[in-house]
Amino acid sequence: MKLTHPVYISAATQISIQQPLSEEWINAPVMPEGLYNEAIDPLFKEWLSAGEARRLGKIMKRAVATSAVAMNRSGIDNPDAIITATGLGCVKNTELFLTDLCNNGEQLLKPTQFMQSTHNTIGSLIAILNKCHGYNVTYANGDISAETALLDAATQMQLGDIKTALVGAHDEMTPCYYTLLERIGYYGVKGMVTSGETAVSLMLTDEKNDSAICRISDITVLHKASDSKIADTLTKTGEASCIIAGFNGKAETDLLYKSLIERHYPDSTVLQYKNLFGENMTSSALGIYAAVSILKHGRFPSAMYVAGPTGKSIDSIICLNISGNNIGIVKLTAL
Amino acid sequence: MDELIKQLKEEIIDVLNLEEVTPADIDENAPLFGDGLGLDSIDALELIVLMEKNYGIRLTDPAQGKEIFKSVAVMADYISKNRKK
């Protein structure tokens, strides 16, 4: 969907397996080792008192911290909407809750784990802490959750219903859940990138304020799309000087990215991000975050380079996320 | 009783995630709710679960909790008289 009414990204930040709340990864990225990596956490006491933090799982603390930084950098402390994307929600608490459920004969369940085992706990906590009483929705659409959340925010801005939106993408991983996903081939395939954890917060505005970094010019989410539909959509999205794709080391997926990029974007610089940020259900948000940072700084680390021209200035980036026959396409344009 | 108070303090710290609190920081005679440790209603639910899980004491009347959870010392006294585990 081409966005006729402008939508700007005024702040973007992350906590992941790279340095937290920082763009240091552009200069000196952490090169992940092994197949399972947890996020590098900042000290959360800047945003949460010990009393507030004690009940919160890591995913919640990370969401609070990235949201606070995005709000602070954009100068918007009460967004019209809080829209959250998460593939698995608060999976650590869910796991603890289910383990107790099994071990204690469905008795003696802990209220805190129960309260924090739902997907929408994240968005509601951000709203409560920041007294944002507006639109609040969580998308749990698997690997395509981040683009769906962005699409909701952008669509409402096209309709004039909201002017600002805090869009977040949050996922955590546990060793147990990693093992389950490994069994079904989601992780651990030979040659694949590491697993990761995502906390990304983006502040969207419908007006170009002083902190605006780039513009979202197109967002499309395709479900169960045919080859012709995908080809047609990519043609309509138009060209871009750079493509950031979700190459993850799985031969089948990477081949699909390669063939689409060769066919539609033969002259673009092609970059990857999952080799630095890892794979999980909302890692495409880290790709979008990386794109925003590249447009802001005008450069990218050599570890991201895959193919295409180098040295050309990057003024537009298409973020391509393929998950089976679901596809998310986000086009960003420099200001 | 001293041993039970010490054990109870450790269990409370663990179950309520009082990360920056040590057993020595908890005055066994200070109120658990309000001023003292500053616990709230969700913590009360966690303490009810703790009592049943660790000591086999089932509180059926929520009003009982108000009395029993006055302080660690009161809790320990109640547990020592009513424990089934």
Side-chain angles (χ1 to χ4, degrees):
Chain A
M1 177 179 79
K2 280 220 183 317
L3 305 184
T4 47
H5 187 90
V7 175
Y8 299 94
I9 296 181
S10 294
T13 191
Q14 55 80 29
I15 294 173
S16 69
I17 61 177
Q18 293 295 321
Q19 299 92 329
L21 307 169
S22 150
E23 285 160 6
E24 184 55 27
W25 60 272
I26 293 181
N27 302 318
V30 174
M31 298 309 294
E33 291 176 6
L35 292 172
Y36 178 84
N37 281 280
E38 293 183 354
I40 304 170
D41 285 312
L43 293 173
F44 292 110
K45 61 184 174 190
E46 188 177 333
W47 304 280
L48 289 161
S49 68
E52 286 171 320
R54 71 186 168 89
R55 271 198 207 110
L56 303 179
K58 287 268 180 76
I59 191 172
M60 310 277 277
K61 292 179 189 170
R62 291 169 188 160
V64 169
T66 56
S67 299
V69 169
M71 289 196 279
N72 182 264
R73 287 185 188 166
S74 62
I76 295 162
D77 57 10
N78 202 317
D80 295 339
I82 293 173
I83 305 176
T84 308
T86 180
L88 297 170
C90 305
V91 73
K92 279 186 188 166
N93 269 298
T94 305
E95 206 173 277
L96 292 169
F97 182 72
L98 291 175
T99 304
D100 269 1
L101 201 71
C102 294
N103 293 345
N104 299 330
E106 301 188 15
Q107 301 291 313
L108 305 171
L109 302 173
K110 293 177 183 160
T112 303
Q113 287 167 6
F114 171 68
M115 291 184 317
Q116 287 188 32
S117 61
T118 60
H119 287 59
N120 57 6
T121 313
I122 306 162
S124 53
L125 175 72
I126 299 164
I128 290 166
L129 287 178
N130 295 290
K131 299 183 173 55
C132 298
H133 305 297
Y135 182 83
N136 193 313
V137 162
T138 297
Y139 288 92
N141 295 21
D143 289 307
I144 221 85
S145 303
E147 289 82 356
T148 312
L150 271 180
L151 181 62
D152 184 355
T155 304
Q156 294 202 58
M157 285 182 184
Q158 304 308 292
L159 295 169
D161 289 347
I162 59 170
K163 297 182 77 59
T164 55
L166 177 67
V167 178
H170 304 283
D171 265 305
E172 59 186 354
M173 188 48 58
T174 68
C176 173
Y177 213 84
Y178 175 89
T179 308
L180 296 177
L181 290 173
E182 192 178 32
R183 280 187 205 161
I184 60 167
Y186 187 90
Y187 284 138
V189 175
K190 196 176 175 201
M192 205 185 157
V193 299
T194 177
S195 70
E197 296 185 300
T198 300
V200 168
S201 291
L202 307 169
M203 184 63 81
L204 271 53
T205 56
D206 73 341
E207 284 175 6
K208 187 179 165 187
N209 60 19
D210 291 343
S211 55
I213 303 166
C214 62
R215 185 180 162 181
I216 303 177
S217 41
D218 200 310
I219 306 178
T220 305
V221 176
L222 300 175
H223 296 286
K224 296 185 177 175
S226 62
D227 289 349
S228 61
K229 177 72 180 168
I230 295 167
D232 184 45
T233 305
L234 290 176
T235 304
K236 281 182 184 159
T237 305
E239 294 179 350
S241 47
C242 176
I243 309 297
I244 292 189
F247 294 104
N248 64 5
K250 277 186 194 171
E252 196 184 343
T253 315
D254 288 0
L255 202 62
L256 202 50
Y257 278 118
K258 201 163 171 274
S259 101
L260 283 176
I261 291 167
E262 280 174 359
R263 204 176 328 144
H264 293 277
Y265 308 108
D267 302 323
S268 303
T269 304
V270 182
L271 304 180
Q272 59 180 330
Y273 62 93
K274 289 186 179 176
N275 60 330
L276 296 183
F277 290 97
E279 174 72 287
N280 64 64
M281 289 191 181
T282 45
S283 54
S284 64
L286 286 160
I288 295 164
Y289 156 78
V292 175
S293 303
I294 290 167
L295 288 172
K296 182 178 171 186
H297 295 280
R299 62 183 196 281
F300 55 84
S302 58
M304 289 183 78
Y305 179 76
V306 176
T310 54
K312 264 174 51 178
S313 78
I314 293 174
D315 57 11
S316 57
I317 299 178
I318 290 176
C319 304
L320 199 53
N321 175 27
I322 303 174
S323 169
N325 51 8
N326 294 328
I327 296 193
I329 303 159
V330 177
K331 185 173 180 180
L332 304 177
T333 314
L335 300 179
Chain B
M1 185 61 83
D2 285 350
E3 190 52 39
L4 179 58
I5 286 175
K6 183 173 171 285
Q7 183 184 327
L8 203 49
K9 285 180 182 179
E10 285 167 0
E11 287 171 346
I12 290 172
I13 288 168
D14 176 50
V15 81
L16 303 184
N17 282 324
L18 303 172
E19 287 169 356
E20 292 172 12
V21 177
T22 65
D25 296 332
I26 303 176
D27 175 354
E28 58 260 36
N29 296 306
L32 286 169
F33 294 84
D35 293 340
L37 272 184
L39 305 185
D40 60 22
S41 58
I42 296 166
D43 296 315
L45 291 172
E46 296 281 9
L47 292 179
I48 288 171
V49 173
L50 181 154
M51 295 267 283
E52 186 166 357
K53 197 172 176 180
N54 297 3
Y55 302 101
I57 298 170
R58 189 165 198 177
L59 299 182
T60 46
D61 178 9
Q64 269 184 295
K66 246 183 179 176
E67 287 302 314
I68 298 162
F69 299 146
K70 257 186 178 164
S71 67
V72 173
V74 175
M75 253 183 105
D77 181 56
Y78 184 84
I79 289 169
S80 68
K81 289 173 182 160
N82 295 279
R83 66 187 300 171
K84 294 183 180 70
K85 282 188 189 174

